[in-house]
Structure formats: C-alpha cells, structure tokens
C-alpha cells in the first residue's frame, strides 16, 4: 500500500431533513453515510444537519448554512464535504463557488467505493459508465475551460469550446462502453441458457450491503469471496457450485449489496450484473438481525427486486447474526425464514438443510421410478440431475427403485416418466 492510500481525507457530513423523512430514517441514513465514508478511506470530523420544508434550489441547504459550513471547514481543516443526497449540477456549482473545499454527494461517494472495489473487466466498465453518466450533466465551463481549442492561423473563428469537446468525448466513451457491455451481457446470457439447459438450479444471495452475504457464500461453497465489515465488500458477482446434504448440486451466486437511495445511474449500469438475480430460481435474502434498521433494509431490497422485475421469484429469508440480534427483533416474514449466524459452526449445515427443504416444498416435484440395472447412463444422470432421497437395488428383478425430487421442466423429467 503506497503512502497516498494511507492518508485518510477528513470529511464533514451534511444532511438535510425534509418533512417526508422521519427522524429514524434520517438518523439511519446519516449513520450509513458515515459507514460509506469509512469504506472510502475517509475520516468523519463532524456532521452538520438542517431541517427544511424543501431543499434550497441554489445551494441545497440555504445561504446561512453555507456560511456556517465555510467557517467550519476552515476551523477543522476539512478536506471535503459529503452531502447525504444527490446534488443537482447547479447546486454543486454554487456550493463549489462558495466553499473552497472538495464537495461530493452520496452518489459520487458510492461510485468512488465501487470504482475501488471493481475487479473484473465488466465491473470496471459498469463503474466507468455510471461515473460518465453522472459527470455529463455536471460539466460546467468556467474560466480557462471556456477557451477555444488551438489558436493561430487556421484555428481562428468559432471553433469548439473545451466544454463541448469534453461532452463529445464523454458521449463517445459512453457509446463505446455500452457496445462492450452488450457483448459481455450476451456472453453471460449464453452461459445462463446453457445452465438452464443442463437443468441446474440457480440460487442468488441478495441483501442489503454488509448483511453478511459474502461470508455465507464462502461458508456454503468453500469459496474465497472477499468478506469484510465494510459496505460493498463484494462488487463483482461470483457463481459457485453448492452441494446440498442429499448430494444434489445447485449453483449459488453472490451479488452486489443493495442500499437505500441507490443512484439510478448505478441501477442502470449494474443491470447486467443484477441479471443473475433476475435469472435465479430461488432468492436467498440475507438480513442483518443486529442492525437497528433491519426492517428498512428489508423493504429497500424488496423494492429494488420489484424494480428489477424479480419480485415473483420464490424467496427464502435468512436472518443473519442471530448471536447479536436486537432484543426486540421480530422476523417479518412467514414460515419461510431461518435464524442464522456465520459464527456458529452448525449453522452452515442448518442453512443447507433449510435450502433443501425449501426446494422440495416450493420448486421440485416428487417422483418414484423403477429403472432397469442396464440403464447405467440414465441412473448416473438421475443421481446428478435430481435430488435422490432413496435408491434400492432389487436383485431378484435387477432394477433400481429410486425416489426423489426433480424439476418438472427438466429434460430428465420426461425420461423418468417411462419408468414411473
């Protein structure tokens, strides 16, 4: 780690509470902003809040508060101001003119964290796309930025402003990235189609950021996905095989954490990554039962699943961190939930048992078949492509009595009917 990465920027957080925002939601949102700042390697000096009937059109917080912030920045030697909302281009420009420190909003902060976390080519492209889409309306020509390009003979006349050149460059780059992402999306789609053809069930871990998805992904698949007590520890989706207690194999995907007020540019940019959720047969919704705003987190995830048109997929809810759960914690879902903790050794086995039970009840169809012993290939496929509960060899008649569960739309389901 180089010296520059070790230097933490000192930040002042700024929040504006509007009439439709409850005190609890506002406090949780600011606490989350502080966590985001920590994740981005920043140090929070203090938090400045204000109650208003509506956000100030020019500066978001009003003239008096701007002066107060300016004095506070000088007094505390702050490096930057972080606003707990998305600022409009004009608000950003007015604030930058009035206060001579770096000013970013919640969206920029999340984009910065994502840029730091992205590892795959697709992840990096998606981040760059979101950053460019965010930057395009916020380009403003001031001073030297409005000077004409070139100069001298042959370059006089109206020409093109630096601002126009920047805009053209960004639009071209956005087009390039979209083209590249289309290729990646097609490849991912072909891969998913192949999995569907092979009849492999796809499960996706979803949840609010820092709920413990990556920890559970590692426990359930023996993978080495990055896990850390930081927001957005996982950015790039991973898919691994998970073997259930019966020996039945499914695919499990770890996904990017959701967050309230997730910028629309990010939802758009990460649509192809979130396709993993849309294509899942079952969603495993992980909720942190030790977080004071667990109900708010649950609602945010459900709302984002609706936006992704993935709200019709069966959901098994896993309330994580049961060893640290709140004293007044009450599960909000019905029968399909389980209380877990990644720190408790036996809970991984319990989680797998619950997943298997859920698949049997909600997704798979029971079957009983009598397969001749000479059908070796089919028997091998039955063992790998269905959830076998019992297999018994009848020596007298030389056949196998097999019972278990299968996906109704699977190819092997049709072959099994011959022997039922």
């Amino acid at each position: 780690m180089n010296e520059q990465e070790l230097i933490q920027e000192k930040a002042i957080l700024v929040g504006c509470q509007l009439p439709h925002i409850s005190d609890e939601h506002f406090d949780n949102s600011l606490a989350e902003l502080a966590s985001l700042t920590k994740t981005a390697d920043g140090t929070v000096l203090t938090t400045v809040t204000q109650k208003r009937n509506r956000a100030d059109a020019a500066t978001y917080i009003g003239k008096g508060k701007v002066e107060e912030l300016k004095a506070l920045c000088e007094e505390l030697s702050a490096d930057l101001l972080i606003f707990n909302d998305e600022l409009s281009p004009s608000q950003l420009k007015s604030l930058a003119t009035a206060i001579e420190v770096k000013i970013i909003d919640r969206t920029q902060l999340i984009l910065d964290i994502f840029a730091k976390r992205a590892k795959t080519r697709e992840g990096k492209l998606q981040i760059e796309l979101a950053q460019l889409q965010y930057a395009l309306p916020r380009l403003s020509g001031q001073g030297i930025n409005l000077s004409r390009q070139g100069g001298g003979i042959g370059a006089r006349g109206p020409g093109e402003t630096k601002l126009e050149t920047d805009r053209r460059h960004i639009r071209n780059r956005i087009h390039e990235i979209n083209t590249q992402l289309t290729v990646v999306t097609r490849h991912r789609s072909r891969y998913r189609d192949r999995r569907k053809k092979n009849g492999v069930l796809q499960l996706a871990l979803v949840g609010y950021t820092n709920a413990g998805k990556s920890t559970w992904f590692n426990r359930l698949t023996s993978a080495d996905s990055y896990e850390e007590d930081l927001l957005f520890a996982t950015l790039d989706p991973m898919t691994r095989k998970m073997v259930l207690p019966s020996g039945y194999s499914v695919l499990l995907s770890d996904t990017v954490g959701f967050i309230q007020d997730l910028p629309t540019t990010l939802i758009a940019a990460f649509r192809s990554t979130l396709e993993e959720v849309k294509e899942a047969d079952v969603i495993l919704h992980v909720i942190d039962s030790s977080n004071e705003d667990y109900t708010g987190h649950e609602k945010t995830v459900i709302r984002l699943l609706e936006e992704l048109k993935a709200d019709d997929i069966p959901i098994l809810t896993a309330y994580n961190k049961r060893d640290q759960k709140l004293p007044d914690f009450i599960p909000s879902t019905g029968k399909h939930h389980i209380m877990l903790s990644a720190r408790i050794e036996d809970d991984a086995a319990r989680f797998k048992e619950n997943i298997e039970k859920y698949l049997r009840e909600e997704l798979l169809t029971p079957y009983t078949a009598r397969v001749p012993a000479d059908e070796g290939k089919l028997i091998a496929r039955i063992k790998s492509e269905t959830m076998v509960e019992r297999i018994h060899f009848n020596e007298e008649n030389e056949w196998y009595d097999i019972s278990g569960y299968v996906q109704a739309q699977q190819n092997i389901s049709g072959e099994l009917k011959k022997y039922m």
Side-chain angles (χ1 to χ4, degrees):
M1 201 177 277
N2 62 42
E3 199 178 324
Q4 195 178 355
E5 284 176 316
L6 290 167
I7 298 167
Q8 295 209 328
E9 287 183 282
K10 293 177 288 184
I12 294 172
L13 308 185
V14 186
C16 182
Q17 187 178 358
L18 303 175
H20 68 278
I21 301 169
S22 69
D23 290 351
E24 188 185 8
H25 180 89
F26 186 63
D27 291 343
N28 287 329
S29 183
L30 281 172
E32 190 170 79
L33 189 69
S35 294
L36 286 165
T37 306
K38 179 196 166 193
T39 303
D41 295 329
T43 305
V44 177
L45 296 174
T46 186
T47 303
V48 175
T49 61
Q50 184 185 38
K51 283 191 176 185
R52 293 181 66 90
N53 289 329
R54 58 190 173 87
D56 185 83
T59 58
Y60 180 72
I61 48 172
K63 206 178 281 184
K65 217 64 176 172
V66 170
E67 292 302 317
E68 187 186 317
L69 276 176
K70 190 176 178 179
L72 200 58
C73 286
E74 286 173 16
E75 184 191 330
L76 300 175
S77 303
D79 299 308
L80 79 156
L81 290 170
I82 303 174
F83 283 76
N84 191 29
D85 207 343
E86 189 168 309
L87 298 173
S88 71
S90 61
Q91 286 168 341
L92 205 55
K93 189 176 175 182
S94 300
L95 287 163
T97 307
I99 308 168
E100 289 178 4
V101 294
K102 186 163 68 171
I103 295 166
I104 65 168
D105 59 20
R106 187 186 176 89
T107 303
Q108 276 175 291
L109 183 61
I110 293 171
L111 286 171
D112 182 77
I113 294 165
F114 274 37
K116 197 171 78 167
R117 291 267 183 265
K119 294 285 183 289
T120 64
R121 176 172 166 266
E122 182 187 12
K124 287 172 181 175
L125 283 172
Q126 287 174 325
I127 284 303
E128 191 184 347
L129 178 63
Q131 286 178 323
L132 292 172
Q133 286 171 334
Y134 177 85
L136 191 59
R138 287 165 178 80
L139 283 178
S140 58
Q142 293 176 49
I144 196 160
N145 287 349
L146 281 175
S147 64
R148 301 289 170 190
Q149 297 298 291
I153 299 166
R156 296 188 182 106
E160 184 177 44
T161 65
K162 170 80 162 63
L163 186 60
E164 287 159 353
T165 312
D166 288 347
R167 282 195 178 126
R168 188 164 50 83
H169 172 73
I170 286 177
R171 285 195 188 103
N172 288 344
R173 183 64 188 141
I174 286 173
H175 178 70
E176 274 173 39
I177 292 170
N178 277 323
T179 306
Q180 288 179 51
L181 281 173
T182 304
V183 175
V184 176
T185 307
R186 274 201 214 114
H187 172 73
R188 199 186 275 278
S189 178
R190 280 198 299 271
Y191 179 57
R192 273 198 304 267
D193 289 345
R194 195 161 69 244
R195 287 195 309 231
K196 289 264 185 240
K197 214 178 216 178
N198 294 339
V200 183
L201 277 178
Q202 175 82 35
L203 279 62
L205 280 163
V206 306
Y208 207 79
T209 182
N210 209 28
K213 294 182 302 301
S214 295
T215 304
W216 272 115
F217 182 72
N218 292 341
R219 300 288 182 281
L220 295 170
T221 65
S222 304
D224 54 357
S225 178
Y226 180 66
E227 55 181 80
E228 186 72 61
D229 185 21
L230 291 171
L231 301 185
F232 300 117
T234 302
L235 182 58
D236 300 303
M238 286 179 80
T239 302
R240 291 281 182 276
K241 186 167 84 169
M242 173 172 69
V243 183
L244 295 173
S246 64
Y248 186 60
S249 291
V250 295
L251 288 174
L252 183 65
S253 292
D254 188 13
T255 60
V256 61
F258 293 177
I259 193 166
Q260 64 186 11
D261 311 319
L262 189 69
T264 47
T265 48
L266 271 181
I267 294 176
F270 278 86
R271 201 157 288 278
S272 65
T273 304
L274 294 166
E275 290 290 324
E276 292 294 335
V277 177
K278 278 178 72 176
E279 294 296 326
D281 297 293
V282 171
I283 286 170
L284 304 177
H285 182 184
V286 181
I287 299 166
D288 179 358
S289 64
S290 70
N291 191 293
E292 289 180 9
D293 193 27
Y294 71 90
T295 50
H297 290 183
E298 190 168 355
K299 284 173 188 166
T300 297
V301 172
I302 298 299
R303 191 176 66 250
L304 285 166
L305 286 174
E306 284 169 8
E307 279 182 39
L308 289 165
K309 295 185 170 55
D311 51 320
D312 58 338
I313 299 168
I315 296 178
L316 173 62
T317 305
Y319 290 105
N320 193 27
K321 307 182 188 179
R322 69 180 172 108
D323 52 330
Q324 304 166 48
K325 74 175 190 286
L326 298 170
D328 57 348
F329 173 80
I330 302 167
S332 55
T333 51
K335 61 172 183 169
H336 297 309
H337 76 264
I338 178 172
M339 299 293 300
L340 297 160
S341 172
R343 292 181 179 180
I344 298 170
E345 202 174 320
D346 298 339
D347 276 11
R350 278 183 60 239
F351 198 1
K352 284 187 178 184
E353 283 164 16
N354 271 264
I355 291 167
E356 190 163 86
K357 182 171 176 268
Y358 184 80
L359 293 178
R360 284 199 301 266
E361 289 175 6
E362 299 296 316
L363 226 68
L364 302 176
T365 307
Y367 73 86
T368 303
R370 191 162 273 177
V371 185
D374 58 1
E375 288 279 7
K377 267 188 181 174
L378 178 62
I379 292 163
R381 280 188 61 205
I382 290 169
K383 285 178 180 176
S384 67
E385 293 178 34
T386 78
M387 190 186 285
V388 176
E389 274 215 320
R390 179 182 171 274
I391 184 161
H392 173 71
F393 182 58
N394 186 317
E395 285 184 31
E396 192 182 328
N397 299 301
E398 293 201 339
W399 66 50
Y400 283 93
D401 286 313
I402 308 170
S403 60
Y405 295 83
V406 66
Q407 290 182 70
Q409 70 274 26
Q410 232 174 311
N411 292 339
I412 198 163
S413 185
E415 291 176 51
L416 275 169
K417 280 176 184 167
K418 299 175 198 170
Y419 302 103
M420 283 180 183

